[in-house]
Amino acid sequence: MGQAPVVYGQSTRPPRGDYSRANADYTCPQDYASYTDADHDTYRRLYERQRALLPGLASQAFIDALPSMGASDRIPRFEEVNERLYKATGWELVGVPGLIPEVPFFTLLANRKFPVTDWIRKPEEFEYIVEPDIFHDLFGHVPLLFNPVFADYVQRYGQGGLKAQGLGSCEMLSRLYWYTIEFGLIREAGQLRAYGAGILSSSGELAYSVQSPEPQRIPLQLERTMRTRYKIDTYQQTYFVIDSFEQLFEMTAADFAPIYERLRGLPEFAADEREAVAA
Ligand code: PHE
């Protein structure tokens, strides 16, 4: 392992992490001693700014769970988060050098292990980074792993991924990940809020996704979502809205095999293709 270039997801550049440190399952110990004061400071400043933006925009479930993550004035140790997380939902964080291939990724999720990139962006990438770093992975993804229903959804996604892999349907399934776990919106007590990690860890997209008149927001429908392409380098032009995590869990409980089969012959939707009925 470790020969560059490795290309994961839609990115065409080699990932930044050092994959020679990784075990066969792509996990690696968090190299805590390697973080500099500047790294801890970057984390603290990102966290502070983002926390201040959450009220009225982030899912209440996320806001309520955020303190469970622990330290915000420095990069947390995975072990200290795990003590609380494991007790809450049986999930554990494991370090990884960055994005990892589909099968090891799905396998970790199916085993309730959440891969967290262990390096942090450079100060000049404060506003925007092309790859997930530890701030995105921790701040964006981990609070909702304290929610039992959402935590079960993510595990099911991993199991579903292993199945999709055998059926050649990972692309369709990955759109569901993108439009729920990364860029999902939820209606809570009549108000639109963000629960997707890509939104919650972005200073600009958080308000944009919830308040801007520009993007369309449509109710989550499995097949529409699986047919919708996505862009990784712009704010989303389409968001899918759920009513509750229970609804998300139930909606995705069906066997996807016949759905993949049926969708294979149907056209895709462009990322910005408009729907007649908005949410
Ligand atoms: N029900 C899906 C299947 O049969 C698995 C899945 C569950 C996928 C939840 C995503 C989210 O493939």
Side-chain angles (χ1 to χ4, degrees):
M1 207 178 307
Q3 302 93 328
V6 195
V7 177
Y8 302 129
Q10 286 187 9
S11 180
T12 49
R13 77 193 76 221
R16 181 187 303 184
D18 173 10
Y19 287 76
S20 69
R21 293 169 47 225
N23 302 311
D25 66 355
Y26 279 87
T27 64
C28 62
Q30 183 183 23
D31 188 3
Y32 202 82
S34 73
Y35 300 135
T36 63
D37 289 347
D39 290 338
H40 288 295
D41 193 56
T42 299
Y43 187 87
R44 182 186 56 76
R45 290 187 300 122
L46 284 164
Y47 192 110
E48 275 317 309
R49 175 178 65 176
Q50 210 58 23
R51 173 164 52 193
L53 295 173
L54 299 176
L57 297 174
S59 157
Q60 199 55 44
F62 179 90
I63 293 176
D64 292 346
L66 188 62
S68 306
M69 276 233 304
S72 60
D73 58 340
R74 57 174 172 84
I75 298 171
R77 289 182 191 271
F78 297 157
E79 301 97 84
E80 66 187 71
V81 180
N82 282 344
E83 278 177 31
R84 286 182 292 270
L85 182 59
Y86 191 80
K87 274 187 210 131
T89 57
W91 273 82
E92 273 175 273
L93 310 183
V94 290
V96 285
L99 292 171
I100 64 173
E102 280 162 347
V103 170
F105 179 66
F106 294 142
T107 304
L108 289 172
L109 297 184
N111 290 298
R112 289 174 101 85
K113 293 188 197 304
F114 195 81
V116 176
T117 302
D118 74 343
W119 53 264
I120 191 155
R121 69 193 70 184
K122 302 194 178 85
E124 59 271 25
E125 295 163 313
F126 196 78
E127 295 303 329
Y128 182 79
I129 179 160
V130 286
E131 281 176 78
D133 71 341
I134 191 169
F135 178 72
H136 166 80
D137 283 345
L138 279 181
F139 189 97
H141 286 284
V142 175
L144 282 182
L145 291 176
F146 283 84
N147 177 286
V149 179
F150 192 81
D152 285 350
Y153 172 69
V154 181
Q155 178 182 29
R156 287 279 200 88
Y157 178 86
Q159 294 164 341
L162 291 171
K163 187 165 104 187
Q165 170 74 24
L167 298 169
S169 304
C170 284
E171 195 177 7
M172 283 186 253
L173 185 68
S174 71
R175 293 174 180 153
L176 189 63
Y177 186 91
W178 189 261
Y179 287 115
T180 62
I181 294 172
E182 291 290 358
F183 290 96
L185 296 181
I186 185 167
R187 205 173 289 283
E188 282 179 352
Q191 290 196 317
L192 208 54
R193 299 288 184 101
Y195 72 90
I199 304 176
L200 290 162
S201 63
S202 159
S203 63
E205 192 156 0
L206 183 52
Y208 173 90
S209 68
V210 173
Q211 296 175 333
S212 168
E214 189 180 298
Q216 70 174 333
R217 301 174 184 87
I218 53 185
L220 183 76
Q221 306 156 51
L222 265 192
E223 303 194 4
R224 173 63 159 86
T225 306
M226 288 184 185
R227 290 170 61 192
T228 306
R229 291 195 294 267
Y230 58 85
K231 296 237 168 85
I232 63 166
D233 55 0
T234 60
Y235 291 168
Q236 303 303 305
Q237 294 302 303
T238 301
Y239 295 97
F240 290 94
V241 183
I242 61 171
D243 294 323
S244 65
F245 296 132
E246 285 79 5
Q247 180 207 27
L248 176 62
F249 189 80
E250 281 157 23
M251 219 183 205
T252 50
D255 179 6
F256 286 6
I259 302 179
Y260 296 143
E261 198 52 46
R262 184 163 67 246
L263 296 191
R264 225 175 286 286
L266 297 178
E268 297 176 336
F269 289 87
D272 59 357
E273 200 163 326
R274 294 277 156 167
E275 193 77 356
V277 187

